[in-house]
Each structure stands twice: as structure tokens, then as C-alpha cells.
């Protein structure tokens, strides 16, 4: 760090341009970073994306509102349930649909389970990027798999759930599902304790993560960074609290905040967020009422998607997805297809600050900074 | 709490004499030339302090020969929002000032709108294609963009 | 002390190692440490995973009794609603272009599902007013040829109602109930042409 960039009295040095990716195990998908290096230090870094671009929005404008649901599963393929939830909220806003009580509870349970899935996986990947090859990731995947089994039992698919609908959920959970979920939720804190024992006080993890990739509060707000990354920088902004969408105001939970905004904070905020999610889950599993899992109007739409013609207008529905603010902007012209269908993807916008985080750090740090941003290319490229 | 849209409109007209604003169901419509001033005021004025640009996108209306750019603003400090701003542009030459100097969060979103819709954001630090590759022709999210193999199934 | 955190972490990995062996679990139990069954993987393909009943993969067509008595009436709703447009249906017609009927119903001459496009979303099942299409749980379908093996025609898609009852007993029971109620409701069992289905 003492060496001034490019200045040496005897040796003439030259900056080097290096491609990290697009096919690299630690770029979390087909993602490329063009890094300009001075020795080992990053001087400039330009992210290149779009390798997974499917023009999701164009597809969404050609099919019915309901037809978009399976495609949203494939946006952020770790959090299919949350993506469905976001689109369902936007459609509800547009069409003025009320969700059934049980449906709301089930959606919140699914969304919070998704948060557990996402955060365990991303911490595993972060450790993988750090060089702890395999072990923490597999421990994380072991727990994730238990929750994915729950998703499979409820929706029929582990990852491409296509389960949440405007008005509730597609079908009620099978018998015994809630008990199974309770058992898994009750056992989860023990895994988290163990996981923390493995990582939180590990000196290697601390030395790799602390004061690396610091994101200041001001920049985080200015650059529209959302989700755990924003809260790790100390900004208290959680859409579950701010908007109070769905039935979140009924639950007591806290919003964990970081102080420094480095990689370590981003890691630790996620751990704490999982603990808060468990609190929500406990309350939701306790308070879930009986009744239909979907409201009559929602069911009618699901049965005959082409009959759903929302009035002319626009709606912006947003949720606190595990990665940040997931927004759906829908414009209706009164036809069964949306006139405009836009996805505000959290990890896409969070990447804006990647260069700022990386400048001045070493190449090895770039990898863990990228890991701590938590991107999924299906969502970035859409 | 955020004042209702009518009040925002009149407050803005008071603060920035000369701007012309119209209100419709979708949000506050701003004339392209006033956009930067309005955005700066909305961000910096204590009453609004809309410091967070949540969403930026474009909507294409080929029938009316216009292209809208839509901004969804929230406040992280005051936890209110949204304020929806709309700019109506000429579809054949959609040019508008960039808001990236005001909100960094617009950087990638403006690049996306440029890439998929062809809206030029003047003053953007690095306006390149972002999702499509360089050298790609056309703007795939425009309504008149023709998909190559449209009738594969016959 | 530097290294204490690493050592504690290694304790966790050591405990996990012990959990994978029966004797290790016995040791942990005697030390009164909470134990989980340490093995989570299965040796596929020797053993197969037990899937929940709702597990879905690709759709199939249901017939009652004999394969010519299929529930599908070629109404093309699923073709229309399929998000990736993987379904292709042609209705059976005679020379004059009038729909041919069998068992009092129109029927598809051609019913193809391109399995390499299908994304197992279950929307076709949700929208079908006749419960004619259901989701299968057969997933070992790898093939070497995309067009020959991955486009399933009508004969490949047809499966009996008993098969459906076998793989998804709960769902099949509700479907059968619904169909029985419908049958009771229609006064003319000869079955006139089902009128244009209008929603649920």
C-alpha cells in the first residue's frame, strides 16, 4: 500500500488490463469485469454484463400478467418466491385485488424462507470466494436444501416455484407442511450458531473482510443501493418497515444495521437478518389462520388469465427481496397483456457502486467484494 | 409525511418560478428542459429530500410518437415516497438530461434505457450499451422492434 | 488469542465429521451435544429421492379407460396460455372441416409438447377447464436428439387416469370429485358439444 501508483524511480511500470470472467468460478455467473491493474492494485474496473440477457421485459409484454410468473422465477433463481411475491403485489395494486388472509400469511412465510435460502447461500459463496473452498458452502447448502424441500412440497418445484399469485398463493400448502416448517424453523438457530462459530470470529475471515470494500453511507444512498448492502452501511431502510406491505406491520422484528459498511458488515448483517426472519417466521407460523389460500378474484385470474384486464393506469410495486428492492413497474392499456412491464432488479442497481468499492484494493479483494454484493446474473441481465 | 401531488406541484412552482408542470394520474409531468432543476429541488429541499431514485425506465408510445421516461423517487432519510416524475420526449429523437450527477443510482438504469429504448441522456458520464453487446443495432424494447424469427411455428 | 476463532471453527468441522459416522454420533450423544443425522446425500441412481406428491416435471394427457377416450377436447386454451409456447394442438376434423367427435367430445388430432421448451410451470394444468392435462413426475428423460426425442406427440403424452391416481392421489381425488360433480350437473349425458368454456 505504501507504493505510490505507478511511480518507481528505476523501473518503468505499465498498467495492465485484465479480464476477470466472463467464465470464472467466482464471478457468480457469466459476468465480466475489465480491471485495470497497477501491479496488484485495482485502478479502474468496468463491469460488463448482458451475457444472460433474455429480454425478460419484452417477453412479459407479449404474454398475460399471470404468464409472467414462471419467468420471474428465473430472474433471481435463488429467490423465486420473493420474485413471484413482488409481481403479485404490483398486479394487485394495478387491478385492485385483495389477498386472502391465509394467502398473505403463506406469502410472508415463503418470502422469509426465501430470505434464509438466499442469505445462507450467499454467505457460503462469499466464503468460497475467500478461499474456504467447499466446507462453509456445503454446510450452507445442507440447510438450504431442507428449505427447498419445503418449497417442493408446497409448490412442486425446488427453485422454479411459480407459487405466489395475485390474491394469495396458487394452492394451499399440503397437510403437515406447517408442522414441518415449524420444525425446520426451530432447528435453524442452531445451525446459525454453528455457522457463526465457524465464521464470525475466525481470524482469517476477519482479516480478509474487515475494512475491505467500504461503502459509505452517503454513496450508498446516492447510488440507490438497497437491501442488506445498504443496511450494512448504516442506513435504516427496510421496505418491509417503510412501506409495510402485505402483513409485515403485524410482526415485530428489528432491522439490523452495520456501522462500517465493509465486507464483514455485509456478511454479519445477513446473519442478523436471518435471525430476524426466523422471528417473523415464528410469529407467522403461530398466527396463520385457516380459510382459503387465495381470494376468489385471484383464483378467477389464475384460472383464466386472459379475462384479467386491469383498468388503464400504471403501478409500481416493490418488495424487500433478499437482495434489495425488487420493483415491478406495470403499465396497463386495458388489454390482457401489460403495455409495459419493467423489472427494477436489486442486484443490477447494486452493481453501480462496484467500481467505487474495488478501487485501491487488490485483485483477491475484488473477488470477495463482488461476493459480498450478492448478485445473480439471471436478475442482473434479465 | 409526503404532501399530496397537488401540493408538491404548487410548492415546486413556487420554488422554481418558470417551470411548467402538469399532473396526471400517472404522476408529475415535467418538461424535459426543467427536469434537472426539478430533480435537484426535490432532492435538496428539506421538505421533500427525495434522496433515493428507486426506479428509472422508459415507456414507448409509437402511436403518439412519444417516449416517456419515468422516475420513481423515494426518500431514505424521511422514509416517504413515491413521487413519480414523467418526461415526455419525441420518439424520433428522445433526448433528455441525465440525472446521474444528482443520483448515482441512475447510472446503470439510464444506460439500460439507452440500450433498450434509445433514449439519449445528455451529461451521462459513460453512456454505452449495457445489456446488449456493442455494435448491436436497434433498441429491442421499442414496440416496433421486430423479433427475427417471429413465425418459427408457422 | 490469535487463532482461537479458527480453532473453534475447526471444532465445528470436526463435529460435523463425527456426525457422519454412527460411532461418532454415539460419542456426541454421550457428551450430550445435539446431533443431526450427518448424511444428507443419496447414491443416485441406485437409490432415488422420494419426491413429494406435488413434484412436477412435464405435463401429460389423461385418458379414462381406453387411450381414445381422452379428456382433452382440443380447445387450445393451454396452447394460448403456455408462457413459452411449447404446446401445439390441431383439432381432429373431417373433410368438410367439421370437428370430429368421439365419446361425445371433440378431440385433438395432434397434440405436441416440446419438452425442451417447456418450463414445468403448471399453468396449462391451472387453466385447463376439463382437467385433461396434468403434471407428471417422470424426470429421467435425457435424449441425444432434440427434435426426435424431446417433442412429445399425443401418443407419448397419453397416460391413464389410474396412473394419475397412482402418482398424485390427493390431487387426483379432488379432480375426480370435480369431474363427477360436473357430470352430475350436465343433464344430457350424451354430451353435446361443450360450449365455449367461460372461465371457472
Amino acid at each position: 500500500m505504501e507504493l505510490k501508483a505507478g511511480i518507481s524511480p528505476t523501473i518503468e511500470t505499465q498498467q495492465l488490463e485484465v479480464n476477470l470472467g466472463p467464465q470464472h468460478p467466482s464471478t457468480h455467473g457469466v459476468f465480466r469485469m475489465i480491471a485495470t491493474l497497477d501491479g496488484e492494485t485495482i485502478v479502474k474496473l468496468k463491469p460488463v454484463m448482458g451475457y444472460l440477457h433474455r429480454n425478460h421485459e419484452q417477453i412479459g409484454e407479449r404474454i398475460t400478467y399471470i404468464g409472467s410468473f414462471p419467468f420471474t422465477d428465473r430472474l433471481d433463481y435463488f429467490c423465486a418466491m420473493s420474485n413471484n411475491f413482488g409481481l403479485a403485489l404490483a398486479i394487485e395494486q394495478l387491478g385492485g385485488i385483495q389477498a386472502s388472509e391465509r394467502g398473505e400469511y403463506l406469502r410472508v412465510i415463503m418470502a422469509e424462507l426465501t430470505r434464509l435460502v438466499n442469505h445462507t447461500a450467499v454467505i457460503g459463496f462469499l466464503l468460497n470466494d475467500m478461499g474456504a473452498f467447499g466446507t462453509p458452502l456445503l454446510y450452507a447448502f445442507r440447510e438450504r436444501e431442507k428449505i427447498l424441500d419445503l418449497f417442493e412440497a408446497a409448490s412442486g418445484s425446488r427453485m422454479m416455484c411459480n407459487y405466489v399469485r395475485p390474491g394469495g398463493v396458487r394452492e394451499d400448502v399440503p397437510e403437515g407442511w406447517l408442522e414441518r416448517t415449524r420444525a425446520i424453523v426451530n432447528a435453524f438457530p442452531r445451525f446459525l450458531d454453528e455457522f457463526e462459530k465457524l465464521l464470525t470470529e475466525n481470524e482469517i475471515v476477519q482479516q480478509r473482510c474487515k475494512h475491505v470494500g467500504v461503502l459509505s453511507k452517503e454513496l450508498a444512498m446516492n447510488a440507490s443501493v438497497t437491501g442488506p448492502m445498504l443496511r450494512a452501511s448504516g442506513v435504516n431502510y427496510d421496505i418491509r418497515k417503510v412501506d409495510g406491505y402485505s402483513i409485515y406491520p403485524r410482526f415485530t422484528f428489528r432491522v439490523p444495521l452495520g456501522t462500517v459498511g465493509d465486507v464483514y458488515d455485509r456478511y454479519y448483517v445477513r446473519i442478523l437478518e436471518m435471525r430476524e426472519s426466523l422471528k417473523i417466521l415464528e410469529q407467522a407460523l403461530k398466527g396463520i389462520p385457516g380459510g382459503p389460500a387465495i381470494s376468489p378474484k385471484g383464483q378467477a385470474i389464475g384460472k383464466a388469465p386472459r379475462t384479467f384486464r386491469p383498468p388503464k393506469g400504471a403501478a409500481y410495486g416493490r418488495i424487500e427481496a433478499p437482495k434489495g428492492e425488487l420493483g415491478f413497474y406495470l403499465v396497463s392499456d386495458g388489454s390482457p397483456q401489460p403495455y409495459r412491464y419493467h423489472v427494477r432488479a436489486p442486484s443490477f442497481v447494486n452493481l453501480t457502486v462496484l467500481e467505487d468499492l474495488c478501487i485501491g484494493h487488490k485483485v483477491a479483494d475484488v473477488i470477495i467484494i463482488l461476493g459480498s454484493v450478492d448478485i445473480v446474473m439471471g436478475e442482473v441481465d434479465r | 409525511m409526503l404532501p399530496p401531488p397537488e401540493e408538491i406541484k404548487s410548492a415546486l412552482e413556487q420554488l422554481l418560478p418558470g417551470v411548467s408542470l402538469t399532473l396526471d394520474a400517472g404522476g408529475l409531468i415535467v418538461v424535459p428542459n426543467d427536469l434537472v432543476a426539478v430533480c435537484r429541488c426535490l432532492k435538496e429541499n428539506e421538505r421533500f429530500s427525495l434522496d433515493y431514485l428507486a426506479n428509472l425506465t422508459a415507456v414507448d408510445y409509437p402511436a403518439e410518437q412519444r417516449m416517456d421516461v419515468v422516475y420513481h423517487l423515494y426518500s431514505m432519510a424521511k422514509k416517504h415516497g413515491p413521487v413519480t416524475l414523467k418526461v415526455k420526449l419525441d420518439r424520433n429523437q428522445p433526448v433528455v438530461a441525465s440525472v446521474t450527477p444528482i443520483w448515482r443510482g441512475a447510472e446503470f438504469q439510464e444506460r439500460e434505457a439507452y440500450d433498450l429504448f434509445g433514449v439519449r441522456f445528455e451529461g451521462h458520464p459513460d453512456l454505452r450499451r449495457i445489456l446488449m453487446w456493442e455494435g448491436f443495432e436497434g433498441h429491442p424494447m421499442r414496440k416496433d422492434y421486430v423479433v427475427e424469427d417471429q413465425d418459427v411455428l408457422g | 488469542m490469535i487463532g482461537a476463532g479458527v480453532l473453534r471453527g475447526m471444532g465445528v468441522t470436526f463435529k460435523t465429521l463425527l456426525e457422519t459416522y454412527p460411532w461418532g454420533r454415539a460419542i456426541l450423544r454421550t457428551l450430550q451435544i445435539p446431533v443431526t443425522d450427518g448424511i444428507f446425500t443419496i447414491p443416485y441412481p441406485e437409490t432415488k429421492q422420494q419426491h413429494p406428491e406435488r413434484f412436477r416435471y412435464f405435463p401429460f394427457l389423461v385418458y379414462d379407460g381406453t387411450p381414445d377416450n381422452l379428456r382433452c377436447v382440443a380447445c387450445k386454451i393451454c396452447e394460448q396460455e403456455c408462457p413459452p409456447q411449447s404446446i401445439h394442438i390441431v383439432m381432429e376434423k373431417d373433410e368438410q372441416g367439421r370437428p370430429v367427435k368421439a365419446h361425445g367430445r371433440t378431440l385433438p388430432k395432434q397434440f405436441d409438447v416440446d419438452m425442451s421448451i417447456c418450463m414445468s410451470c403448471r399453468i396449462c394444468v391451472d387453466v385447463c377447464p376439463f382437467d385433461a392435462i396434468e403434471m407428471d413426475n417422470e424426470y429421467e428423460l435425457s435424449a441425444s436428439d432434440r427434435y426426435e426425442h424431446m417433442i412429445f406427440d399425443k401418443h407419448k403424452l397419453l397416460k391413464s387416469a389410474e396412473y394419475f391416481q397412482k402418482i398424485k392421489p390427493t390431487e387426483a381425488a379432488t379432480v375426480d370429485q370435480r369431474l363427477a360433480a360436473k357430470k352430475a350437473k350436465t343433464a344430457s349425458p350424451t354430451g353435446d358439444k361443450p360450449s365455449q368454456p367461460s372461465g371457472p
Side-chain angles (χ1 to χ4, degrees):
Chain A
M1 277 297 201
E2 276 83 31
L3 262 176
K4 268 288 248 221
I7 297 171
S8 166
T10 48
I11 313 162
E12 199 171 301
T13 60
Q14 204 182 348
Q15 289 188 345
L16 186 68
E17 207 165 76
V18 177
N19 266 320
L20 297 165
Q23 293 288 359
H24 191 273
S26 64
T27 50
H28 297 251
V30 271
F31 178 63
R32 182 155 71 116
M33 292 175 282
I34 306 173
T36 311
L37 302 178
D38 178 29
E40 270 277 299
T41 313
I42 304 285
V43 188
K44 208 170 104 184
L45 185 127
K46 290 282 167 217
V48 182
M49 56 195 93
Y51 296 97
L52 214 61
H53 181 55
R54 298 146 288 176
N55 220 345
H56 173 77
E57 297 175 4
Q58 176 84 277
I59 297 171
E61 286 168 19
R62 276 153 189 268
I63 53 178
T64 53
Y65 289 87
I66 298 296
S68 283
F69 277 95
F71 289 107
T72 57
D73 290 340
R74 285 137 178 98
L75 279 176
D76 174 357
Y77 36 77
F78 275 105
C79 319
M81 292 281 193
S82 305
N83 298 344
N84 290 172
F85 194 6
L87 180 57
L89 278 184
I91 294 175
E92 279 171 17
Q93 215 177 319
L94 194 66
I97 302 162
Q98 274 288 321
S100 76
E101 190 73 6
R102 188 177 171 84
E104 289 278 27
Y105 269 89
L106 285 173
R107 298 199 294 198
V108 166
I109 290 170
M110 294 301 177
E112 294 308 315
L113 285 173
T114 306
R115 203 178 308 278
L116 297 180
V117 167
N118 180 70
H119 285 358
T120 43
V122 77
I123 291 170
F125 282 126
L126 176 65
L127 266 292
N128 221 13
D129 291 347
M130 240 176 260
F133 203 74
T135 308
L137 179 65
L138 284 177
Y139 287 9
F141 266 42
R142 184 186 67 203
E143 297 307 310
R144 170 179 172 260
E145 208 60 34
K146 291 178 189 165
I147 299 175
L148 292 188
D149 281 347
L150 289 177
F151 288 169
E152 193 177 27
S155 75
S157 187
R158 286 165 66 245
M159 288 170 82
M160 303 301 146
C161 304
N162 182 24
Y163 187 59
V164 182
R165 284 282 182 276
V169 293
R170 204 183 60 217
E171 51 186 334
D172 204 349
V173 290
E175 232 170 276
W177 190 89
L178 290 170
E179 285 68 46
R180 270 178 74 193
T181 313
R182 260 177 220 129
I184 284 171
V185 166
N186 290 339
F188 207 85
R190 217 178 70 210
F191 157 72
L192 273 183
D193 292 341
E194 216 177 83
F195 209 44
E196 270 208 73
K197 212 187 213 174
L198 182 68
L199 305 172
T200 305
E201 279 169 39
N202 189 316
E203 283 83 359
I204 304 169
V205 173
Q206 291 196 350
Q207 290 193 357
R208 285 298 306 278
C209 292
K210 282 203 164 163
H211 305 289
V212 170
V214 177
L215 176 64
S216 72
K217 205 170 166 173
E218 291 71 35
L219 180 64
M221 283 161 81
N222 197 259
S224 304
V225 172
T226 43
M229 212 177 149
L230 174 77
R231 292 190 283 276
S233 296
V235 184
N236 186 355
Y237 194 77
D238 187 318
I239 297 167
R240 289 175 294 175
K241 288 270 187 202
V242 175
D243 281 10
Y245 63 90
S246 190
I247 49 163
Y248 276 110
R250 291 186 204 173
F251 304 120
T252 43
F253 63 101
R254 293 182 307 166
V255 181
L257 297 178
T259 45
V260 190
D262 52 5
V263 174
Y264 190 78
D265 275 3
R266 291 201 272 280
Y267 151 74
Y268 203 58
V269 159
R270 289 197 172 102
I271 291 267
L272 293 176
E273 244 176 48
M274 281 196 267
R275 293 195 188 274
E276 297 304 316
S277 283
L278 289 170
K279 275 190 212 165
I280 300 176
L281 278 169
E282 268 167 30
Q283 294 167 52
L285 288 167
K286 201 185 275 171
I288 184 165
I294 187 162
S295 62
K297 199 169 172 196
Q299 195 163 26
I301 294 169
K303 272 269 174 204
R306 241 155 252 272
T307 57
F308 178 56
R309 294 159 187 268
K312 277 186 188 179
Y316 180 67
R318 58 177 199 160
I319 62 156
E320 181 72 34
K323 292 181 167 60
E325 174 180 335
L326 176 71
F328 286 89
Y329 180 61
L330 297 171
V331 179
S332 164
D333 60 349
S335 69
Q337 291 93 5
Y339 185 77
R340 176 85 176 96
Y341 168 81
H342 173 71
V343 185
R344 187 258 191 226
S347 42
F348 174 69
V349 182
N350 286 0
L351 274 178
T352 314
V353 290
L354 185 66
E355 185 178 14
D356 305 65
L357 297 182
C358 292
I359 284 176
H361 288 296
K362 308 285 184 217
V363 178
D365 292 333
V366 171
I367 303 298
I368 64 165
I369 290 169
L370 183 71
S372 75
V373 172
D374 184 10
I375 58 165
V376 158
M377 293 321 284
E379 184 177 69
V380 175
D381 293 340
R382 279 160 291 146
Chain B
M1 270 314 284
L2 193 69
E6 297 82 27
E7 230 171 278
I8 296 177
K9 179 176 172 266
S10 54
L12 277 172
E13 275 163 352
Q14 243 169 38
L15 286 162
L16 303 164
V19 297
S20 72
L21 300 164
T22 26
L23 202 64
D24 80 346
L28 205 57
I29 297 163
V30 187
V31 177
N33 288 337
D34 297 337
L35 181 72
V36 171
V38 168
C39 285
R40 220 170 259 290
C41 178
L42 284 174
K43 188 193 172 192
E44 280 156 16
N45 193 296
E46 291 276 301
R47 200 158 151 218
F48 313 116
S49 58
L50 295 161
D51 48 10
Y52 167 42
L53 174 78
N55 182 41
L56 186 159
T57 190
V59 189
D60 183 20
Y61 295 97
E64 294 155 55
Q65 283 299 312
R66 73 166 214 262
M67 182 94 73
D68 286 5
V69 181
V70 187
Y71 304 80
H72 286 93
L73 309 174
Y74 287 83
S75 169
M76 280 189 184
K78 297 202 162 172
K79 297 197 169 52
H80 60 212
V83 170
T84 312
L85 294 187
K86 251 190 208 175
V87 190
K88 292 187 176 175
L89 307 172
D90 176 20
R91 187 167 182 275
N92 299 318
Q93 232 176 2
V95 183
V96 71
S98 166
V99 294
T100 307
I102 306 171
W103 296 287
R104 259 295 294 284
E107 188 182 333
F108 278 19
Q109 303 190 55
E110 280 183 347
R111 273 179 71 184
E112 190 196 331
Y114 164 72
D115 187 358
L116 302 180
F117 285 91
V119 182
R120 289 199 62 85
F121 293 94
E122 281 188 335
H124 189 283
D126 182 23
L127 197 64
R128 285 179 295 134
R129 286 192 178 272
I130 187 164
L131 294 174
M132 309 307 289
W133 57 96
E134 246 162 78
F136 179 84
E137 274 179 35
H139 302 288
M141 278 306 291
R142 285 194 173 204
K143 288 278 173 189
D144 54 3
Y145 182 82
V146 181
V147 184
E148 283 163 52
D149 47 357
Q150 211 172 23
D151 46 11
V152 157
L153 275 173
Chain C
M1 189 190 92
I2 292 236
V6 176
L7 281 176
R8 256 203 304 277
M10 284 168 79
V12 175
T13 50
F14 186 64
K15 186 196 153 217
T16 314
L17 172 76
L18 286 180
E19 274 180 348
T20 46
Y21 297 100
W23 54 267
R25 289 199 283 275
I27 292 174
L28 289 171
R29 269 192 211 102
T30 49
L31 295 173
Q32 295 192 325
I33 297 169
V35 191
T36 50
D37 183 19
I39 294 173
F40 291 89
T41 50
I42 49 160
Y44 178 83
E46 282 81 38
T47 30
K48 278 197 183 179
Q49 202 183 348
Q50 280 298 310
H51 284 290
E53 196 194 315
R54 283 189 187 173
F55 172 69
R56 59 184 147 92
Y57 210 55
F58 288 143
F60 68 95
L61 285 172
V62 190
Y63 67 82
D64 293 306
T66 49
D68 64 321
N69 185 13
L70 66 169
R71 293 178 187 171
C72 177
V73 301
C75 69
K76 293 195 175 198
I77 289 181
C78 54
E79 184 190 75
Q80 218 178 32
E81 296 296 346
C82 176
Q85 301 177 358
S86 64
I87 304 177
H88 180 60
I89 303 171
V90 178
M91 196 190 266
E92 182 83 69
K93 285 182 180 161
D94 59 12
E95 292 92 55
Q96 276 94 47
R98 282 179 312 222
V100 174
K101 281 188 189 176
H103 301 275
R105 287 189 294 269
T106 51
L107 73 161
K109 183 169 125 200
Q110 223 186 330
F111 196 115
D112 298 336
V113 183
D114 190 343
M115 296 306 183
S116 49
I117 299 177
C118 173
M119 49 193 209
S120 317
C121 65
R122 206 180 180 277
I123 281 184
C124 49
V125 181
D126 287 346
V127 298
C128 183
F130 306 99
D131 294 300
I133 191 164
E134 294 293 346
M135 297 308 277
D136 205 347
N137 61 7
E138 178 60 53
Y139 55 91
E140 287 163 323
L141 300 166
S142 55
S144 55
D145 185 273
R146 185 219 181 287
Y147 290 102
E148 210 141 285
H149 299 290
M150 292 312 282
I151 298 178
F152 280 34
D153 59 7
K154 197 170 103 182
H155 301 289
K156 226 168 163 183
L157 286 168
L158 275 175
K159 281 180 182 168
S160 68
E162 287 74 46
Y163 174 78
F164 179 46
Q165 278 156 2
K166 201 186 95 204
I167 60 165
K168 297 185 175 182
T170 324
E171 203 190 326
T174 48
V175 166
D176 287 346
Q177 228 170 38
R178 196 158 56 218
L179 288 176
K182 220 184 207 174
K183 215 172 191 176
K185 223 168 137 189
T186 24
S188 54
T190 43
D192 292 293
K193 190 181 100 196
S195 58
Q196 208 57 31
S198 54

